[in-house]
């Protein structure tokens, strides 16, 4: 299940590019989900030597795939992962939800991602239960992300 918290705890995968470079194994490119991620997010494939752009055909190093693809591959390959959710672009979110159907994934957000309402299912670390709706998630997300700023600008500051 996808578990959602807020902020950026010290013990999560945050430096996605660096952590990917450290943990990546060539065998990951043989995994069907990782191949789909590369095709659909970065529009590339592994040609047996380098990454290859599907549209223009140019080749590039695995290090140059998007941070979103790197984050998704980390999630796919590692168990019980806790990761900075703000690394995922909207084009990564369906993959994240699909993987969360098969294993626990914890993300910490500092933005409000645009999950598709009809596919959304997640657990709130703040509430200690599954969200009842996408709307409940979105309300919580906006409140938690803006709370630190709201405290700084209390109404008394403007009177």
């Amino acid at each position: 299940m996808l578990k959602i918290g807020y902020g950026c705890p010290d013990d999560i995968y945050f430096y996605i590019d660096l952590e990917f470079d450290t943990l990546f194994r060539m065998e990951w490119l043989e995994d069907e989900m990782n191949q789909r991620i590369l095709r659909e997010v970065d529009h590339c494939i592994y040609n047996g030597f380098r990454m290859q752009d599907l549209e223009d055909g140019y080749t590039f190093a695995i290090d140059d795939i998007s941070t979103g693809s790197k984050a998704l591959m980390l999630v796919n390959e590692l168990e019980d992962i806790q990761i900075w959710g703000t690394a995922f672009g909207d084009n990564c979110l369906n993959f994240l939800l699909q993987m969360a159907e098969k294993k626990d994934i914890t993300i910490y957000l500092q933005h409000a991602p645009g999950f598709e309402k009809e596919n959304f299912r997640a657990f709130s670390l703040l509430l200690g239960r599954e969200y009842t709706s996408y709307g409940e998630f979105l309300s919580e997300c906006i409140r938690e992300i803006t709370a630190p700023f709201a405290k700084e600008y209390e109404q008394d500051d403007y009177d």
Side-chain angles (χ1 to χ4, degrees), residues 37-84:
I37 289 165
L38 291 168
R39 270 193 317 275
E40 295 178 32
V41 175
D42 285 345
H43 309 287
C44 68
I45 58 169
Y46 178 64
N47 68 10
F49 178 64
R50 290 173 53 89
M51 304 311 298
Q52 184 171 356
D53 183 83
L54 290 172
E55 189 173 309
D56 298 324
Y58 64 86
T59 63
F60 55 96
I62 185 71
D63 298 348
D64 295 328
I65 64 172
S66 69
T67 300
S69 286
K70 290 176 183 177
L72 285 170
M73 290 173 71
L74 287 169
V75 167
N76 189 42
E77 295 296 333
L78 305 177
E79 293 300 319
D80 297 319
I81 189 167
Q82 296 185 57
I83 192 165
W84 187 54

Side-chain angles (χ1 to χ4, degrees), residues 80-135:
D80 297 319
I81 189 167
Q82 296 185 57
I83 192 165
W84 187 54
T86 300
F88 299 103
D90 287 349
N91 60 345
C92 298
L93 299 178
N94 282 335
F95 283 108
L96 195 58
L97 291 173
Q98 287 171 26
M99 287 187 268
E101 290 175 9
K102 297 178 181 169
K103 68 189 216 174
D104 288 338
I105 302 166
T106 304
I107 62 172
Y108 287 87
L109 298 173
Q110 292 180 301
H111 82 296
F115 288 105
E116 292 180 7
K117 292 178 194 178
E118 52 279 345
N119 296 328
F120 182 76
R121 181 173 174 240
F123 182 90
S124 168
L125 294 176
L126 192 65
L127 298 173
R129 64 169 170 80
E130 193 170 335
Y131 294 104
T132 58
S133 67
Y134 179 77

